[in-house]
Amino acid sequence: MSIDKRAFGTYDVRGIYPKTINQELAYKVGRIFPKLFNAKKIAIGHDIRLSGPTLSDALARGLSESGCDVFDIGQCGTEMIYFTTGFKNFDGGIMITASHNPKDDNGLKCVLKNSRPLTPDTGLFKLRDAVADENFDFSYRKASGNIFRIDIMSDYIKKILSYINVKNLKPFKVVINSGNGAAGPIINELEKFLPFEIIKIFNDPDGNFPNGVPNPLRQDNREVTSKAVVENHADCGVAFDGDFDRCFLFDEKGGFIEGYYLVGLLAQNFLSKNHGEKIIYDPRAIWNTTDIVKNMGGVPLMCRSGHSYIKNMMRDENAIYGGEMSSHHYFRDFYYCDSGMIPWLLILELLSQSDKTLSQMVDDRQKKYPVSGELNSKVASLEAVGEILKKVENIYGKDREVIKIDGISIDFDDWRFNLRPSGTEPYIRLNVETRGDKKLLKEKTDELLKIIRS
């Protein structure tokens, strides 16, 4: 079967099973990965998708037939592969997941030694080309490596809990929606150590997704968690995507909290314990984050959005935490990787130290720095994106500094915006924010959208 190169994206391998993601691809990745990256020991795991175990078996066979020892942690979340690779000092890790995509999708996320991401810059496209090479001789086998099944749960839970002081947590009532994804078993383990009353929704892993795709960004998925928070008089709600590398929070009123404001709250938590540390943020919306970081004595540093960029900058700058408004949160002591389990615990720790409710904490920041949220506009082609960026820059960039870290960002006294292209689709994405002026926010958002969509 020929390999479709289009399955290899900028950050991972993803497609429909078995059309583009299948046993043959997984096996070939396994055969080639050790040779390309000099890997002798590799961690593997899979999320709850029905094709996961089959793909995992093919991957393990390919790795072992290349002479690599395979350490299979079974069903897990993506961050557990990051953790295992770093904690065990393995040469790499491969996670089989399609995160929040439809149930028939699957894919592979790869990391190298020290849990560094595999990207086009570090060899992802070399892997792609080798896997797609029909002349590659897969009949040759080295001495077979061993396949071990290992249990990493207790070490992983210990690491997650190390980020908070459990003794200082208040006995909150928390609704947690695992979306029938991989988060459920982790919540069951964490619950043993936490003082919370946890109300679980769709907690049992089920690759059939009987309650819909685990994607809390979808409005219909949000409503279930929001309603449960209100009906149970809970202090907050938490919802996860399929491989729980992201978590999404709801306040005690059932209101969905934009990921942007969580970056500021998490920065606040870290800086309250670690004065003077560096905090990384993406350029889409920044004023709330920089205000908190500076007032807390930290050093705010802007970085292009995207996990590989943020992880690299965090390493270069020794930053303690990095956050994106897309709800990806990265932690220095978690091998500079993103986690969906650490953020909600840090937020509840912060809430335990406050006399405010979660809605009050967030509302204060929303009033001070309201945002448009990310607004997507479809364009005719990727080439047209460049024309729109140039047009907007010519209109708004006169006598202003134009920051081009990710698309274009232009600041004015009372408002700012970021306009950036999608990395993979013919879309252009707009974010606008103001200094406490919702009327100005709507005015400038409408103004920009009219120019972009004309």
Side-chain angles (χ1 to χ4, degrees), residues 388 391-392 395-396 446-454:
I388 294 171
K391 181 179 179 181
V392 171
I395 294 172
Y396 293 94
D446 291 345
E447 181 180 291
L448 276 157
L449 286 177
K450 186 176 180 180
I451 294 169
I452 292 164
R453 294 173 178 175
S454 65

Side-chain angles (χ1 to χ4, degrees), residues 193-231:
F193 303 94
L194 299 170
F196 307 143
E197 178 186 345
I198 297 180
I199 297 137
K200 301 171 188 175
I201 301 176
F202 310 149
N203 199 63
D204 295 331
D206 188 339
N208 289 302
F209 297 160
N211 298 290
V213 176
N215 180 6
L217 288 178
R218 288 177 47 168
Q219 188 62 40
D220 53 339
N221 286 352
R222 292 184 193 179
E223 290 173 2
V224 175
T225 310
S226 177
K227 184 178 179 181
V229 170
V230 174
E231 289 180 346

Side-chain angles (χ1 to χ4, degrees), residues 373-434:
E374 190 153 78
L375 303 169
N376 296 321
S377 300
K378 193 169 186 177
V379 295
S381 65
L382 291 175
E383 290 75 19
V385 170
E387 296 173 6
I388 294 171
L389 287 171
K390 186 175 181 180
K391 181 179 179 181
V392 171
E393 182 180 348
N394 288 339
I395 294 172
Y396 293 94
K398 296 176 181 177
D399 304 320
R400 290 282 168 178
E401 180 185 8
V402 180
I403 299 171
K404 297 186 177 182
I405 289 178
D406 192 354
I408 60 172
S409 299
I410 301 177
D411 289 23
F412 297 85
D413 292 341
D414 297 321
W415 73 286
R416 72 176 295 276
F417 74 91
N418 170 263
L419 185 65
R420 68 189 189 96
S422 163
T424 56
E425 302 172 293
Y427 282 91
I428 194 162
R429 312 190 192 282
L430 174 68
N431 285 275
V432 186
E433 60 184 321
T434 68

